[in-house]
Amino acid sequence: MSDLPILVRINEEGPREGFQFEPGPIATERKIELIDSLSKTGLREIQVASFVPPKNVPGWADAEKVVAGFTRRPGVRYTALWLNDKGFLRALASNTLDMAGSISLTLSEKFLMRNQKRTLVENIAAQRATIGTYLKHGIPVERLSLMAAFGCNFEGDIPHSRVIQFIQTGVELGAERGLTIKRVSLADTMAWATPKSIKKVVGAVREKYPELELSLHLHDTRGMGIANACAGLEMGIANFDSAVAGLGGCPFAGHRGAAGNVCTEDLVFMCQEMGIETGIDLGALIESALLAEDIVGHPLPGSVMKGGALSRMRERIRAAA
Amino acid sequence: MSDLPILVRINEEGPREGFQFEPGPIATERKIELIDSLSKTGLREIQVASFVPPKNVPGWADAEKVVAGFTRRPGVRYTALWLNDKGFLRALASNTLDMAGSISLTLSEKFLMRNQKRTLVENIAAQRATIGTYLKHGIPVERLSLMAAFGCNFEGDIPHSRVIQFIQTGVELGAERGLTIKRVSLADTMAWATPKSIKKVVGAVREKYPELELSLHLHDTRGMGIANACAGLEMGIANFDSAVAGLGGCPFAGHRGAAGNVCTEDLVFMCQEMGIETGIDLGALIESALLAEDIVGHPLPGSVMKGGALSRMRERIRAAA
């Protein structure tokens, strides 16, 4: 376990992922309440909203109101998701977000067609246009995001060679406009990854692109989320997306009622217990997870929020001794 | 990942663990239905009942009826749990079980007092007497089981040195009667282990006792179950206890509504996807998991039973192509 990172940075996506996925309407002020609660945990980055068409994702029709209502805490980056120029311009107009551009490529055409109604070729053209929009507004673009990087429910296994090929495509798309891609996010959008494939893909990317900083976006649909994160840690990966209480899931992935993103507090628990710093107060994060469960009104898949943190148990044992 | 085993053997403990833990009464014939369903999955070992005092564990008051009612399938070992001579003699009298003795040591005195009302010293005397009972009835004793091997909710962290010390004690207890301990089960009874501590403890045991075959009994209370199993696999461990659909948990461990044992079908899924043979039909196992959920009448924590096996998804994709 010698390649474990010293410090892990977590990008909290619970608000965006969760409220996109939940069927029932959730009041704007409760979304804001969760974001403000998360802001106090020590998290350094929170994705707070999704600027997508309300007719597709009614849960985010109030994105403007949410981003206007939360309290910015110094040292925390607040980001949002969008899938097209219209969404980007909505986010930009808010004036409360930390704006950063990203080149987003999906490795499965079948999934891309379902999710965004584009072919692979059409998506490259769309990304080119999006980069132009970012540059026009002075928004930095240093990140490449690869969706369905490990497999797809509609296309099957994704060969490692395709991951390398799409990184190449992303790097070239940036270079066309004089941009240098510094970070690549590998997303296991439909939960096809195992610890073995995480290590293989990360190893292959590292071999070809040692200069890139990698991050993992892991879904826990088949229960592999934390094991896959651990495999990432063992490969030295220090950047993870996750969702408090395991909120979320992708409404387009075709799963029935399965878990969503890897759970933030379970990931933080694992890091802390293995001696990896996160800068996050696990007790405060568990409070946020319980708040999230209260807000959505049904049990969420997180484990440590139910089983309890060991740090608190150790304190209780010491106090009783 | 070069030390992954080629073949993993799974000891299914769902029936015993699950029906011990469930609050509501479950009909004897439904317990039998689950055992018979599991018998058809390719599992080679199933712990089918718990012969414990009905006043402590009312869910197993019908242990005799369950073990008299299931259908033995050739090639499957059917075992049971007991905690004292009385329980052992009840199991022996059934004539339908594969009887094997085990030396059982608990590494936390506080947990032992709660669970079995014995001190560490009293437990050693009790184990000595139990070995005598096994030998008197011609039952083989080759296995040592260490409970709370990674930590305890009432005592805190368990140092690695104590694991080594208790293996020594177990080996000596056997040697007193001319027995050779061949297998050691390390149980993370209260879910204190992480992948890092699994690797450290297993490494320490291997260094001192390279001749012992190790198995892991992992609880998923803090969401680390599958990651811990993966750490075990990476250390070459080829024997795991698990519970279909994640049934179970320990009623004495002081958790509130948290998950129980690591989930069998999630573990089998991980093995299969990483190229490790289990001899188990994952589709049939998912059917058993759905049956278990139907029997207990509430959602169970297993993930693959909800997210779906990839092997079936690959077939569907191939058929559609």
Side-chain angles (χ1 to χ4, degrees):
Chain A
M1 313 278 280
S2 56
D3 293 328
L4 293 178
I6 291 162
L7 174 73
V8 156
R9 281 170 298 232
I10 289 175
N11 171 30
E12 170 60 43
E13 300 198 339
R16 192 271 299 169
E17 283 262 11
F19 301 138
Q20 158 184 299
F21 188 67
E22 289 296 325
I26 291 167
T28 304
E29 57 266 34
R30 300 234 67 195
K31 296 180 183 174
I32 292 169
E33 191 185 346
L34 181 62
I35 295 162
D36 287 343
S37 167
L38 289 165
S39 290
K40 296 171 191 159
T41 61
L43 280 162
R44 302 287 298 276
E45 186 160 357
I46 307 173
Q47 200 175 44
V48 294
S50 191
F51 289 90
V52 285
K55 71 172 165 54
N56 297 351
V57 185
W60 273 115
D62 61 351
E64 274 82 359
K65 287 183 188 160
V66 170
V67 303
F70 74 88
T71 304
R72 282 189 64 97
R73 198 183 172 89
V76 183
R77 279 176 52 81
Y78 296 90
T79 66
L81 178 83
W82 53 81
L83 296 175
N84 56 28
D85 279 10
K86 194 170 168 189
F88 164 70
L89 293 171
R90 285 172 65 198
L92 187 65
S94 75
N95 279 321
T96 62
L97 296 172
D98 297 287
M99 300 295 289
S102 174
I103 300 173
S104 177
L105 300 177
T106 297
L107 276 62
S108 156
E109 187 158 57
K110 282 183 180 145
F111 182 65
L112 188 67
M113 286 299 293
R114 280 181 170 250
N115 205 354
Q116 297 191 54
K117 299 189 179 59
R118 290 174 189 158
T119 64
L120 292 177
V121 170
E122 285 166 356
N123 192 38
I124 287 172
Q127 293 305 313
R128 203 170 264 135
T130 303
I131 295 168
T133 306
Y134 293 144
L135 293 179
K136 187 176 132 194
H137 290 87
I139 303 299
V141 185
E142 299 184 334
R143 189 168 173 276
L144 168 65
S145 178
L146 299 187
M147 289 178 71
F150 297 88
C152 169
N153 287 357
F154 310 104
E155 194 163 323
D157 294 286
I158 301 290
H160 310 161
S161 57
R162 202 185 298 176
V163 177
I164 302 297
Q165 175 201 328
F166 275 70
I167 292 178
Q168 187 62 33
T169 301
V171 166
E172 287 171 4
L173 277 170
E176 286 175 8
R177 304 298 300 266
L179 299 168
T180 303
I181 298 300
K182 295 182 179 164
R183 285 181 286 283
V184 173
S185 164
L186 301 170
D188 184 25
T189 314
M190 281 160 285
W192 278 61
T194 63
K196 190 170 174 178
S197 64
I198 293 280
K199 290 189 177 182
K200 279 197 172 178
V201 171
V202 170
V205 174
R206 284 261 171 72
E207 186 189 6
K208 184 86 180 174
Y209 296 100
E211 72 282 9
L212 290 174
E213 185 178 48
L214 302 181
S215 72
L216 290 174
H217 177 99
L218 302 166
H219 280 222
D220 197 31
T221 319
R222 293 182 179 90
M224 301 296 117
I226 287 290
N228 288 343
C230 185
L233 290 171
E234 291 183 356
M235 294 295 286
I237 292 207
N239 294 279
F240 294 87
D241 297 340
S242 62
V244 66
L247 271 168
C250 175
F252 306 102
H255 291 119
R256 350 150 233 139
N261 270 54
V262 68
C263 169
T264 308
E265 66 275 15
D266 292 1
L267 178 58
V268 168
F269 169 83
M270 178 168 69
C271 287
Q272 287 191 353
E273 289 292 322
M274 302 206 306
I276 301 166
E277 188 52 63
T278 62
I280 294 168
D281 176 339
L282 183 56
L285 192 59
I286 290 174
E287 293 302 316
S288 293
L290 294 169
L291 175 64
E293 208 168 57
D294 182 59
I295 291 172
V296 301
H298 59 78
L300 288 169
S303 292
V304 171
M305 64 189 280
K306 303 176 193 102
L310 291 181
S311 47
R312 292 196 165 182
M313 220 160 237
R314 287 189 189 98
E315 281 167 28
R316 221 175 303 147
I317 292 165
R318 265 195 300 272
Chain B
M1 313 281 278
S2 56
D3 294 328
L4 294 178
I6 291 162
L7 173 74
V8 156
R9 279 170 300 232
I10 289 175
N11 172 30
E12 169 61 44
E13 300 199 338
R16 193 272 298 171
E17 284 262 10
F19 301 138
Q20 160 184 299
F21 189 67
E22 289 295 325
I26 290 166
T28 304
E29 57 267 34
R30 299 234 67 196
K31 296 180 183 174
I32 292 169
E33 192 184 346
L34 180 62
I35 295 163
D36 287 342
S37 167
L38 289 165
S39 291
K40 294 171 193 159
T41 60
L43 280 161
R44 301 287 297 276
E45 186 160 358
I46 308 173
Q47 200 176 45
V48 294
S50 191
F51 289 92
V52 285
K55 70 174 165 54
N56 298 351
V57 185
W60 272 115
D62 62 350
E64 273 82 358
K65 286 183 191 161
V66 170
V67 302
F70 75 86
T71 304
R72 282 189 64 96
R73 197 181 172 92
V76 183
R77 279 175 53 81
Y78 297 90
T79 66
L81 179 82
W82 52 82
L83 297 174
N84 57 27
D85 279 10
K86 195 169 166 187
F88 163 69
L89 293 171
R90 285 171 65 199
L92 187 65
S94 75
N95 280 319
T96 61
L97 295 172
D98 297 286
M99 299 295 289
S102 174
I103 300 173
S104 177
L105 300 177
T106 297
L107 277 60
S108 157
E109 187 157 57
K110 282 181 181 146
F111 182 64
L112 189 65
M113 286 299 293
R114 280 181 171 252
N115 205 354
Q116 297 192 53
K117 300 187 178 60
R118 290 174 188 159
T119 64
L120 292 177
V121 171
E122 285 167 357
N123 192 38
I124 287 172
Q127 294 304 313
R128 203 170 265 137
T130 304
I131 295 168
T133 306
Y134 292 145
L135 293 179
K136 189 174 130 192
H137 290 89
I139 303 300
V141 185
E142 300 184 333
R143 188 168 175 275
L144 168 66
S145 178
L146 299 187
M147 288 178 73
F150 297 87
C152 169
N153 287 358
F154 310 103
E155 195 164 323
D157 294 286
I158 301 290
H160 309 162
S161 56
R162 202 185 299 176
V163 177
I164 302 296
Q165 176 201 328
F166 274 70
I167 293 178
Q168 186 63 31
T169 301
V171 166
E172 287 170 3
L173 276 169
E176 287 176 8
R177 304 298 301 266
L179 300 168
T180 303
I181 298 300
K182 295 182 180 165
R183 284 181 286 283
V184 173
S185 164
L186 301 170
D188 185 24
T189 314
M190 282 160 285
W192 279 60
T194 62
K196 189 171 176 178
S197 64
I198 293 279
K199 290 188 177 181
K200 278 196 173 178
V201 171
V202 170
V205 174
R206 285 260 172 74
E207 185 188 7
K208 183 86 178 172
Y209 296 101
E211 72 283 10
L212 290 174
E213 185 177 49
L214 301 181
S215 72
L216 291 174
H217 177 99
L218 302 166
H219 280 222
D220 197 32
T221 319
R222 294 182 178 88
M224 301 295 117
I226 286 291
N228 289 342
C230 185
L233 290 171
E234 291 183 356
M235 294 295 286
I237 291 206
N239 293 278
F240 294 87
D241 297 340
S242 61
V244 66
L247 271 167
C250 175
F252 306 102
H255 290 119
R256 356 151 228 139
N261 270 52
V262 68
C263 169
T264 308
E265 66 275 15
D266 292 1
L267 178 57
V268 168
F269 170 82
M270 178 168 69
C271 288
Q272 287 190 355
E273 289 292 323
M274 302 206 306
I276 301 167
E277 187 53 61
T278 62
I280 294 167
D281 176 339
L282 182 56
L285 192 60
I286 290 173
E287 293 301 316
S288 293
L290 295 169
L291 175 64
E293 209 169 56
D294 182 60
I295 290 172
V296 301
H298 60 80
L300 288 169
S303 292
V304 171
M305 65 189 279
K306 304 176 192 103
L310 291 181
S311 46
R312 291 195 166 183
M313 220 159 238
R314 287 190 189 97
E315 280 166 30
R316 220 175 304 147
I317 292 165
R318 264 196 299 271

